[in-house]
Amino acid sequence: MRILTVVGARPQFIKAAVVSRAISVRSVIEEQILHTGQHFDIDMSARFFEELEIPEPAFNLGIGGGSHGQNTGRMIEGIERVLLDQRPDWLLVYGDTDSTLAGALAAVKLHIPVAHVEAGLRSFNRRMPEEINRVLTDHAATRLFAPTAAAVTNPRNEGIESDAVEQVGDVMYDAALFYGKKAERVSSILRDLNLNPKSYVLATLHRAENTDDPARLEAILDGFRASGQRIILPLHPRTHSRLTRFGLVLPENVQGIPPVGYLDMVQLERNAILIATDSGGVQKEAFFHQVPCVTLRDETEWVELVEAGWNRLAPALSGLIPEAMETRLGSSGLNVSHYGQGDAARLIAGSLTIPRGS
């Protein structure tokens, strides 16, 4: 059996790392990785492959830096060429990026079955490009690997056949368990930044809805300033460019640093007193490391973490960011287990060996 895995963005590298490891121990599966190049910065791409010990991509399309339409169209064209040449038994995609949708569309047009990891999530905000990507990918996929019970229910409510959806748990939880210990051994980021554990807030900010709107971006920075907390902010390339374009500067209590590798990020997350983010993945990682979280968005696809008290929404223009950060400091939520037993990758690899229709 041959699988072509399509990745293109940093969160996908992390998810693919644990699944590829589970696939590699099954002699019946041969996997090749195609990197679209969606994250083309060395700190956002090559460094992750090295740290996570992901096999070198067999194909690299080098596509990135354009608009959603430009990128997606070029990716479809490039992925289609590889599919026509390789003819895999499965195309495996992750999450909700342009690379995800491009892979799914290219494969389904060629009648190559699609397996979607982290399927079934919904923010119910169709203005988010990610929401469109995940919905369309789910409806194109043959097998949907859902991380939570809610993620099983959502596609079934949309008319997707029940048998196509499998609740396997969250591969990001697998990654947190595996790489958390490694990060503690090898990361020097706390020493490099002169940080003591639980002495800082970790922030991430990258979604277009926040960074491309100067009013929202300025409001988030004002919220950070008003919190009075020492904040460490790894600067996503998009965020850095928008700060320059809009003439905005970071508050004095916010320390902007270059993008960090995954192991350094894990170490920063584990030792933060609070995490403030607009990233879906970082919301979950905060929970995995038992760190309270404030999400800088109007909604979240991880509603169970809000309901359990681990996460609080503080939309950019709500004026709630300082208060939300203050009330979340030192807090915790319910003792819940939504994301499986840390064996999602093994379950996915096993499911892919079962013939379709079995």
Side-chain angles (χ1 to χ4, degrees), residues 34 38 42 55 61 70-71 84-85 88 110 121 123 155 171 175 215 241 283:
L34 184 152
Q38 183 173 334
I42 186 66
L61 303 183
Q70 289 171 329
N71 286 346
L84 287 170
D85 181 62
L110 297 174
L121 300 179
S123 68
V171 294
S241 71
Q283 293 173 51

